[in-house]
Amino acid sequence: MAQVHFLCRMSFLNAFGINYALDAFDHDSYDFARCRPRQQQSSGDKFMGVQNSSMGDVALPPTSQRVSNNSTAATSKVQPRVVAATVAGNALEFFDFTTYAFFAVYIGQTFFPADEPLVTVMLSVAVFGVGFITRPLGGLLIGAFADRAGRKPAMLLTIALITVGTIGMALTPSYASIGLAAPIIVIACRLVQGLALGGEVGPSTTYLIEIAPQGRRGLYGSWQLASQGIASLAAGVVGIVLTLALSKEQMLAWGWRIPFLLGLALIPIAVFLRRHMPESLEQPTHSGPIKSPLADIRHHLRPIMLALMVILGVTISTYAAIYMTTYAVTTLKLSATIAMSATIVFGVATWAGALLGGWLSDLYGRKPVMLWARVALFVLVYPAYMLLIEHTSVATLALATALLALLTGIGGAPTLVAIPELFPGHVRALGLSIAYAFGVALFGGTAQLVITWLIKVTDNPAAPAVYVLITSLIAIVGILLMRETGGDKELQK
């Protein structure tokens, strides 16, 4: 009855399926309270600072490796609001960032007018890529900050930065009103948003796996990618409502700004949730010198390089799926309303695929799930595009988008969990931040521009599938060279 009452209080989260994860939280807390892993002090206990009075004289790790007794994370159970805070922050930040991609056609006409429509789209997509330039800087600075000061202050910082960028995007006048100043301001806003997202993924994903009980890190960590799916779903729903309610002229004049204003209004909720999060970073209590994450990360170049190879595949297939909204309008000549349905399908499939992939990786290991999802995508992506091109409809658009997003989510979730598991705690957030931010900046920032260019140069509407095929081969090699980090393996200290 207590568990039922607990889940009812979290009915808001149930809408996104978070109750599934909460069931895992309660189940694992029960097991940890009664079974042998509690006495061996699993990684979940260590990172949450759990102390069991019935442990007797069981040896504890050195004080430099434990969470301080004063840490608010020192509880015996993971609170639902802790996971909700991390998920809400990710969802809101990616909602703001990906809204630009989904409304690229309208934003391009507002800030980058040109005689040829395709040139306008390419300019808009190019500025979307500008937001990736500052991701590596955000990954380096905020990732190192998270490994020194804590995961919580790093995630609060990213929320503040995304707020600044979102205000600018929502309120900047059009090119027709203020001329060249308009695209300059938009570019500046994209740079600030990129800085925020470059530093968000490392600390938030690291936080999720550090609070996770032993054997549940895949499921917990999968909420990183699942929350991005939620953001895409929300952006798609808002987009369809706006395109149905407003005329094309209204959408171009001011309608596309509404999603940015909505995201801005919800940011205080994310800030409130994150301010009340416990800290998961193990703070050293000794008085000796503390290693600098930026100086020590040079000893972990091999896992970073392998991570970049794997992230290449995840990134290209992700942004190929995101581009489906623009692709449907510019290449398939579908209406904006139908095109927006691809956004909703992408969000739902990413959310479901990520949670499924994380859960499967806890059962069978990270590498098998990553590998077979990527192989399946390699085999099916080109036929899916050809089906969409030859039989263009709402159904085939949904099918192609769902295939890309679902398989990417299944393989991508354990990827984002496996990468931080390759690093010790004092460089864990930085290691993932570097691999993710640099990988997404190099490949994600250019993905939609390259896809648009390939379609124009080759005059082949299936060109995006070829790009996914090539990058998937590289990702498969990286997966095979990575070591397995799932199962009962504990996080490195």
Side-chain angles (χ1 to χ4, degrees):
M1 290 299 294
Q3 188 178 27
V4 172
H5 176 66
F6 167 76
L7 291 175
C8 289
R9 289 188 298 151
M10 301 302 294
S11 58
F12 173 77
L13 302 180
N14 290 349
F16 293 120
I18 296 181
N19 60 316
Y20 176 77
L22 296 180
D23 284 338
F25 301 166
D26 281 337
H27 172 74
D28 288 325
S29 296
Y30 178 86
D31 287 341
F32 271 65
R34 296 195 174 205
C35 298
R36 184 165 49 88
R38 167 73 76 179
Q39 295 178 336
Q40 293 178 346
Q41 197 180 22
S42 69
S43 62
D45 292 332
K46 288 185 284 186
F47 278 104
M48 286 300 292
V50 176
Q51 302 295 329
N52 188 348
S53 60
S54 64
M55 289 176 63
D57 297 327
V58 174
L60 295 174
T63 55
S64 63
Q65 299 173 357
R66 296 202 308 269
V67 178
S68 168
N69 289 334
N70 294 327
S71 170
T72 58
T75 62
S76 60
K77 180 185 289 187
V78 178
Q79 297 296 321
R81 63 178 177 81
V82 174
V83 179
T86 310
V87 171
N90 285 324
L92 288 173
E93 291 184 17
F94 274 89
F95 174 85
D96 286 339
F97 199 80
T98 56
T99 291
Y100 185 101
F102 299 143
F103 291 91
V105 173
Y106 299 106
I107 294 174
Q109 294 178 50
T110 301
F111 298 112
F112 312 102
D115 294 332
E116 187 177 347
L118 184 60
V119 174
T120 295
V121 174
M122 290 187 70
L123 287 172
S124 179
V125 170
V127 174
F128 176 80
V130 167
F132 292 84
I133 293 176
T134 49
R135 282 204 182 198
L137 181 61
L140 284 171
L141 298 180
I142 301 177
F145 178 64
D147 283 328
R148 290 292 298 270
R151 321 306 188 202
K152 175 181 174 179
M155 287 189 282
L156 285 171
L157 175 59
T158 60
I159 283 284
L161 290 173
I162 205 74
T163 302
V164 173
T166 303
I167 289 174
M169 284 298 303
L171 302 180
T172 301
S174 67
Y175 183 92
S177 300
I178 61 174
L180 191 60
I184 292 176
I185 294 173
V186 169
I187 291 172
C189 292
R190 297 294 299 156
L191 292 173
V192 173
Q193 288 180 318
L195 187 72
L197 287 180
E200 164 69 17
V201 173
S204 61
T205 307
T206 297
Y207 184 84
L208 287 170
I209 69 170
E210 286 178 346
I211 67 172
Q214 186 74 5
R216 287 290 186 270
R217 292 198 303 265
L219 181 59
Y220 275 56
S222 68
W223 278 104
Q224 164 59 258
L225 192 56
S227 67
Q228 297 177 28
I230 293 170
S232 300
L233 173 61
V237 170
V238 171
I240 286 185
V241 170
L242 289 176
T243 53
L244 290 175
L246 303 176
S247 66
K248 185 176 180 180
E249 292 73 22
Q250 290 173 319
M251 281 292 299
L252 180 60
W254 50 269
W256 65 265
R257 298 179 187 270
I258 293 177
F260 292 99
L261 294 172
L262 289 175
L264 188 63
L266 294 174
I267 283 177
I269 300 174
V271 173
F272 174 80
L273 289 172
R274 286 193 168 184
R275 286 191 64 183
H276 293 81
M277 292 168 61
E279 178 58 63
S280 69
L281 176 65
E282 294 182 343
Q283 297 289 356
T285 57
H286 59 78
S287 57
I290 302 175
K291 293 182 180 180
S292 168
L294 287 173
D296 195 58
I297 196 64
R298 67 181 185 273
H299 300 300
H300 305 276
L301 295 181
R302 186 176 186 276
I304 289 177
M305 295 305 298
L306 293 177
L308 282 171
M309 294 174 67
V310 181
I311 285 174
L312 167 62
V314 175
T315 299
I316 297 303
S317 56
T318 296
Y319 283 93
I322 291 175
Y323 187 73
M324 276 294 186
T325 302
T326 303
Y327 180 81
V329 174
T330 59
T331 303
L332 302 178
K333 306 305 180 182
L334 294 171
S335 69
T337 303
I338 293 176
M340 282 294 174
S341 67
T343 303
I344 293 180
V345 172
F346 171 81
V348 173
T350 298
W351 166 74
L355 294 181
L356 178 60
W359 176 69
L360 289 173
S361 74
D362 284 332
L363 294 177
Y364 303 108
R366 314 288 184 240
K367 289 182 62 174
V369 179
M370 294 160 58
L371 179 62
W372 289 112
R374 184 55 48 180
V375 169
L377 186 59
F378 180 85
V379 172
L380 297 174
V381 64
Y382 196 84
Y385 266 89
M386 291 307 300
L387 177 66
L388 174 60
I389 294 166
E390 295 176 1
H391 304 280
T392 303
S393 66
V394 178
T396 53
L397 177 64
L399 179 63
T401 305
L403 177 72
L404 268 172
L406 183 68
L407 292 176
T408 300
I410 291 174
T415 297
L416 290 180
V417 173
I419 293 172
E421 289 176 333
L422 295 172
F423 299 94
H426 66 282
V427 293
R428 184 171 296 125
L430 178 59
L432 175 57
S433 295
I434 290 175
Y436 184 85
F438 276 85
V440 174
L442 290 172
F443 312 122
T446 59
Q448 299 194 43
L449 183 61
V450 169
I451 289 172
T452 306
W453 177 79
L454 284 174
I455 293 172
K456 183 176 183 180
V457 170
T458 64
D459 197 28
N460 178 13
V466 177
Y467 196 26
V468 173
L469 286 173
I470 294 171
T471 53
S472 291
L473 283 176
I474 299 173
I476 288 171
V477 173
I479 293 170
L480 292 174
L481 293 175
M482 286 179 67
R483 65 179 176 85
E484 178 59 61
T485 59
D488 293 329
K489 295 179 177 64
E490 293 190 353
L491 289 172
Q492 299 182 60
K493 298 181 175 65

